Amino acid sequence: MIKDNLDFNQIVKPNTEFLEQLRQKLPEFFTSSDSDKEAEFDMEKFQKALKEQNVEELSSGYQLDFIGKNYAKKQAGERPTTVIVPDNEHNEKIENKDSKNLFFTGDNLEVLRHLQQNYAKSVDFIYIDPPYNTGSDGFVYPDKFEYSDEQLQDMFNLNEEELKRMKSIQGKSTHSAWLTFMYPRLYLAKKLLKDSGVIFVSIDDNEQANLKLLMDEIFGEDSFTGEFIWTRKKKGAFLNKQIRKMTEYILYYTPSNNLHVNFGEKAYSDKMQPIVKRTNSVKELIFPANSVKTKLNDGKYEIIIDENPTGVSFLNPFNIKDGIVIDELKTKARYTWSQEFLNKEIESGSIVNLSTKFGFNVLRSGQEDRIKAPSTIIDLKVGVGTNEDATEEVSKLFSTEAGEIFSYNKPSSLLKYLVNMITYDQKDAIILDFFAGSSTTADAVMQLNAEDSGDRRYIMVQLSEPTKPGSVAHKAGYTSIDQISRARIEKAAEKIKSDNPLLTEIQDFGFKNYYVVEPSQQTLDQLDFDNDLQLDIFDDMISAVSSEKLGVDGQAEGFDTILQTYMVSDGYKFDTSVEMLEFAGVKLPYVNKQRIYLITNDWTAQNTKALVNAIGKNEISVQTIVVYGYTIDMESLRELEIALNQLENKVHLLVRY
């Protein structure tokens, strides 16, 4: 479960993940297709293909370099070394039991590594509000460089001075430290996005320029869709003598450059639009008889000449009857439309109106279905609040008046605006936020679902970061940020249900909770033993990963942790059905009617016989049996292997450590 990944991480190089991506996209240029062997890229064959296609190498260009970049690339290719512990106590409650919303407590890099297996290309929308590296937001590079100096030098081909520079980012808040922190997280996030997915990242001007270059490198320059400017304050600090900072940035990328992704700001479905603009050149337009509506009085109107920049001149007399101009209208003005475009619009059913001030306005055909692209400015004019609004919002939810229970909030109106912008017509979208903070994103998703009967789902990730002793949060009983985050979801759900009683039965207001935890050092030390040693030298390697032994809540047995971690590794989502089947007194999980997980301390020849008989008699259909290798001796394992080989249908036996 972990030892295999630890062994793999020892051999990961900065280009391992890149080579794996090449192998998937261009397998014909690899000399070996065996995924268990080191990738061998045939450069000579690749260069020949480039020449044959007349593709020339770029002779110039630029890239973002920083101390720790190769280490960040290595992290992007590493596998998780943590286990997933289900919070059984929480997850079995009625409101959470069938929920498809997910909350993970743990290092978001490890969570993203786990999700590569079961959520790759599954997420529609990502929003993150990472640390801004302001010097006062508490960001320091958290990695401890658990490799020895010799290992680091060998991995990255470093001399003594280069090694010293690389280790200089440890515990620091430099630009290089921040970029090294962000690189693997953004890289793995990209792999979770659907081809039609999008990502938004909030940032201020401390790292905005570096973030733009980093995202250009990871997602591609062509994926950059735009940059929003959000008004975060109603008024700035007047004591600042240089500049009052009132705004922040939100970078927006569409990795596949998917032009069909529309915006959710509602178009002017019933608003007439003028077709005269003072900066345009003067041109003549002819409106066919009976094509123009008006509120002018019935009767005959003479030629009208209007020289104003936005005025319209009428070059022939015309009659109005029952609110319709019954004659052909020959006009001259600074029109935005051509005659050809006007004719097509009238043919398609657009409504042309002649105002009482003798100007033309049009309600275009199908306008109610049109989407109005939003401005790059996000402020109160589009219904989005500020940091002050966010603080007030959370204080009301938690009923705190003595100060902020959580700092650096974003208002839920901002997240609703962004989520609606993309998912207004995709109401079953999956929303991911792996810097969850106080779970504003989850709150916004629930609010939006309540407003438009959506079925959007969220995935929140938050580190178990301790709150400061003496703070409002700590005094209220919240000892870590993730506790605030989960409580925010529950309180927001109660508020929405209180405001909308009819939604209680149809909307998903719950969430499944999981802890992503590194096993104890004692357990990791045991994993270093050779697999061929007798198992009796180990302690119980099942209970070692129970919630009690790992120091987290939820009453999960070690069996629950191992099963959940294995299932995620095998690509099963968190709502996959699991049936417990009994084989000669030992119960095993039967997953998705195709896979058996053998996780038990009590396996004997009698159990093997019962399992193989059930498969041989077609009582169950099994493609793979996954064995937790620490709890079955070599003799029993060999018996199982021999028995399975005698079956008519091939069953794959997979032993994990």
Side-chain angles (χ1 to χ4, degrees), residues 620-637:
I620 55 173
S621 175
V622 178
Q623 298 175 4
T624 303
I625 297 176
V626 179
V627 178
Y628 185 54
Y630 294 109
T631 58
I632 184 170
D633 58 58
M634 292 301 115
E635 182 180 349
S636 296
L637 187 60

Side-chain angles (χ1 to χ4, degrees), residues 220 361 364 386:
N361 297 296
R364 295 182 64 182
T386 62

